[in-house]
Amino acid sequence: MIAERYGKDEVNFDGIVQETRESFTAIADALGSKHFDEFAMKLVFDRLTNAMVQGAFGAGMYYSARVADCANHARALTNDHRDDDADGVAGFDSKLQALQDRAADAGLRAYALRATAEAACEAFAEITGNVWVPYSRSETRPISAEAAKLQRDAFAIKD
């Protein structure tokens, strides 16, 4: 809908998904199992998938910020006591039109990168046999029973 309303090219979502999946498969085939065991392959594709997902996430955040810019500027234009002009200089777009155009471009980029992220996650599952999940650092560290008892004793916790 964005592309149509702003006169931009449509994003070929399905084409991007297909090309991305084929690219991941080609990389897996090129690396092969001769030099990369299951763990190494999972590690490589985890990082590649993470990069795709992070790129899509960042593009989505950028798009959201551009939409907020448009909304803020549109609200400012309703203020009768504003100092700036609503219309652009003769022959040029207004500031609001320029902001909307920038948001439209950002939205289309975010949508295209979403396709790459989805495809990367699908390819990761095909290649590794696992569902991709983002890495999260564990907040708890495994400690020995003796160390755990000493920590509990520090807070006067009875066993």
Side-chain angles (χ1 to χ4, degrees):
M1 180 163 20
I2 290 174
E4 181 182 316
R5 291 193 180 174
Y6 285 89
K8 311 233 180 237
D9 292 334
E10 289 284 338
V11 171
N12 181 2
F13 192 91
D14 293 335
I16 293 170
V17 167
Q18 181 179 343
E19 291 288 330
T20 304
R21 289 182 74 176
E22 288 173 4
S23 296
F24 269 56
T25 302
I27 293 168
D29 291 345
L31 295 176
S33 59
K34 187 181 279 187
H35 301 291
F36 284 79
D37 62 7
E38 247 180 76
F39 178 78
M41 196 68 86
K42 183 180 180 300
L43 186 66
V44 166
F45 283 96
D46 180 62
R47 289 177 176 166
L48 290 172
T49 303
N50 185 60
M52 296 295 201
V53 171
Q54 289 294 322
F57 178 78
M61 296 297 289
Y62 183 79
Y63 168 64
S64 294
R66 300 299 66 84
V67 170
D69 290 346
C70 291
N72 290 338
H73 191 71
R75 256 190 311 281
L77 292 176
T78 63
N79 179 357
D80 291 332
H81 303 292
R82 69 180 179 275
D83 292 331
D84 54 335
D85 292 328
D87 295 326
V89 177
F92 294 96
D93 289 341
S94 70
K95 184 175 180 181
L96 181 58
Q97 287 170 320
L99 288 171
Q100 289 171 335
D101 193 57
R102 189 175 307 137
D105 287 339
L108 294 171
R109 280 192 301 271
Y111 186 56
L113 288 173
R114 178 180 167 205
T116 65
E118 285 186 19
C121 290
E122 291 169 7
F124 180 85
E126 277 181 24
I127 293 165
T128 67
N130 297 300
V131 174
W132 183 82
V133 292
Y135 172 77
S136 65
R137 180 188 247 175
S138 175
E139 294 301 322
T140 59
R141 291 186 213 144
I143 57 174
S144 70
E146 182 180 339
K149 182 174 179 356
L150 290 172
Q151 287 179 348
R152 286 191 306 273
D153 289 346
F155 294 106
I157 299 172
K158 305 280 189 230
D159 290 337

